[in-house]
Amino acid sequence: DGNSVGGITETLFAGGGPQGGAIEPAVLVNPLSVAVDRSGRVYIVEAGDTRLNPGRVRRVSEDGGSEILITGLEYPVGIAIDSQEVAYVALGGSQQIIRLTRGGGRTLIAGSANGQRCEPRITPLCGDGGPALGAFLNLPGSIQFRSLILAADAQMIYLPDLEFRRVRAINLSGSSVRVGSATIEAGTIRTIAGNGLESPYDQIPATATELNRPTGVAADPAGNLFLTDSAASPYNLLRFVNRGRTPV
């Protein structure tokens, strides 16, 4: 049953019951992020807790059936599904991006093996322009207790970096990809929007603009990007990065 407010109906989709069984009464432990694939299946990232329940990813089919795809994750905070229905998960506990594989496995896509966090005052570039494997990331951890809204397409993963006011891209393809004024070589990570400073300026190259608090990113089928840039009024904005060579 749903509650209707202002013509909008709210319906319980998942959570509110014991572990196991159907999705609606199942217990969700710190659900932080969701994504939907082309088949209409919903992926739920559960951050878990430090004592009894490790982080995990749950997938819910259109008929309401639920399955755990992977568990034992280090504080997962975000998920993105690409056009081939491959899932990528951001791990705040280990500062890594992983690709989920069949049978509950995972492959490291970006981040350092030892979980080192990006600290620009110590390592100013944090791996920008170099291999994504070994780069330092800045993903929210358990102290921040917030989600990360990342995006993925056939070639790239896009990561908002709220603290350092930028958006970074990881090139998963076998060749270089151009995003705005930035060229990302195969297998590398690079900042594609934001320069680390505050206050927004538009109508200039994305890498030169200034972001306030980039909290999320989404990509359309053409690879154009939409950024949520949140801060004190009047700078709560939805910003657009044009991947094409002509005005939109």
Side-chain angles (χ1 to χ4, degrees):
D1 294 333
N3 298 318
S4 180
V5 178
I8 299 175
T9 300
E10 178 185 275
T11 302
L12 176 64
F13 173 74
Q19 295 277 8
I23 182 63
E24 183 172 327
V27 167
L28 304 181
V29 184
N30 288 338
L32 286 186
S33 183
V34 298
V36 182
D37 66 20
R38 294 189 306 170
S39 301
R41 297 175 298 185
V42 178
Y43 297 69
I44 304 174
V45 165
E46 300 178 47
D49 58 44
T50 58
R51 293 179 294 177
L52 300 176
N53 301 286
R56 61 191 181 186
V57 176
R58 182 192 301 268
R59 184 170 65 191
V60 184
S61 62
E62 289 186 286
D63 63 7
S66 169
E67 61 177 325
I68 303 299
L69 296 182
I70 189 171
T71 188
L73 299 178
E74 301 86 4
Y75 199 75
V77 293
I79 187 169
I81 314 295
D82 71 11
S83 58
Q84 302 302 311
E85 300 188 343
V86 177
Y88 299 89
V89 180
L91 303 178
S94 59
Q95 294 297 304
Q96 297 172 338
I97 304 295
I98 61 171
R99 177 195 291 126
L100 301 191
T101 58
R102 294 182 182 276
R106 64 185 187 178
T107 299
L108 180 62
I109 298 299
S112 65
N114 62 4
Q116 183 171 341
R117 191 183 191 90
C118 173
E119 294 289 350
R121 288 169 292 183
I122 301 173
T123 54
L125 296 180
C126 291
D128 256 22
L133 287 172
F136 303 143
L137 307 180
N138 184 41
L139 309 176
S142 58
I143 296 177
Q144 288 84 14
F145 195 69
R146 61 176 175 81
S147 62
L148 182 78
I149 306 173
L150 61 156
D153 59 25
Q155 297 176 314
M156 313 284 284
I157 299 174
Y158 305 97
L159 301 175
D161 186 340
L162 183 150
E163 184 175 356
F164 299 121
R165 302 186 177 95
R166 62 182 177 178
V167 175
R168 304 173 82 184
I170 302 165
N171 185 354
L172 302 177
S173 74
S175 59
S176 62
V177 176
R178 190 168 181 82
V179 181
S181 60
T183 298
I184 303 97
E185 301 298 329
T188 66
I189 185 171
R190 183 171 174 178
T191 295
I192 58 168
N195 60 9
L197 302 177
E198 198 172 357
S199 297
Y201 293 94
D202 289 323
Q203 305 300 327
I204 60 175
T207 52
T209 194
E210 298 173 0
L211 305 177
N212 279 283
R213 294 173 63 84
T215 55
V217 58
D220 69 13
N224 300 309
L225 304 180
F226 298 84
L227 315 179
T228 53
D229 190 6
S230 304
S233 180
Y235 297 126
N236 290 314
L237 304 173
L238 177 64
R239 313 186 74 185
F240 177 75
V241 179
N242 183 2
R243 287 281 299 277
R245 296 184 179 276
T246 58
V248 175

